[in-house]
Amino acid sequence: MIDAFTHLDLTCVDPIADMQTRITRSGIEGALAVETWKGDNFPWLQRIMVEPSPRFRVVPCFRPEQRQPSQNILQNGAVMGLRVRTADMHQLQCLATWLVASGKWLLPHAEYGIGALKKELLVLAKRTPGLQIYLPHLGWPREDGVDDQEWEAAISELHGYLAWW
């Protein structure tokens, strides 16, 4: 299985140079670096935004309590989309409309499992036609080593709303 995005390896002296070397050696054309929920890699993502490269795109996390990310950050050409928790999805309507208009993507996180995420995504997708939803990690078919019993039905129902490669 191939995961379609990465978190930077913060144990390296220069995580961006490390990622660049790894994707070059492996023949990968580009990488999508996603902010962690701890935010510990955000300074490195900011560096990618300041020094854009056609090989990298970034996705910051939506933190409504901190009013982050700013509109400036979202408008940066290196930003591919916005990562959001299931619990915060209901606060996203204005930004979801902006994502559609700007051509940026929504990367949801299923912290309560795919069933809860599916409900929130369907509401948002129906209210925001054209929203590009990128569902990472194959839609989280397993949690803690156990198959998620809701996975197949949830993925089937979401199929028409998700972006497929």
Side-chain angles (χ1 to χ4, degrees):
M1 180 183 354
I2 298 172
D3 198 344
F5 70 69
T6 186
H7 300 290
L8 299 172
D9 182 355
L10 298 181
T11 64
C12 298
V13 173
D14 186 340
I16 295 170
D18 173 68
M19 184 169 61
Q20 178 111 24
T21 300
R22 289 175 188 278
I23 68 172
T24 298
R25 272 195 230 148
S26 64
I28 295 172
E29 293 178 23
L32 180 61
V34 178
E35 183 182 4
T36 62
W37 290 113
K38 291 188 298 185
D40 54 350
N41 67 346
F42 192 70
W44 291 100
L45 299 182
Q46 285 179 307
R47 187 170 138 199
I48 294 171
M49 287 184 260
V50 170
E51 302 168 13
S53 162
R55 299 191 77 189
F56 300 119
R57 293 290 176 268
V58 300
V59 177
C61 291
F62 177 58
R63 292 185 170 83
E65 69 285 351
Q66 298 170 4
R67 298 186 136 154
Q68 291 294 328
S70 69
Q71 200 73 352
N72 256 2
I73 289 172
L74 288 174
Q75 291 175 352
N76 186 294
V79 173
M80 182 265 207
L82 184 64
R83 187 176 189 206
V84 63
R85 288 184 170 112
T86 300
D88 294 329
M89 199 89 56
H90 68 282
Q91 299 181 58
L92 202 61
Q93 186 59 55
C94 289
L95 271 176
T97 302
W98 184 85
L99 289 171
V100 171
S102 67
K104 304 223 182 217
W105 296 56
L106 178 70
L107 279 80
H109 183 76
E111 71 273 18
Y112 303 122
I114 191 68
L117 176 60
K118 176 200 74 169
K119 291 173 191 162
E120 294 294 331
L121 276 179
L122 287 175
V123 168
L124 187 62
K126 289 175 183 175
R127 275 197 236 144
T128 319
L131 180 63
Q132 297 179 94
I133 302 169
Y134 180 94
L135 192 61
H137 302 300
L138 199 60
W140 302 272
R142 297 176 58 86
E143 189 171 330
D144 297 324
V146 178
D147 288 348
D148 183 334
Q149 299 302 310
E150 296 184 63
W151 180 79
E152 189 172 345
I155 292 298
S156 294
E157 196 169 348
L158 286 168
H159 183 267
Y161 297 96
L162 299 177
W164 301 101
W165 298 94

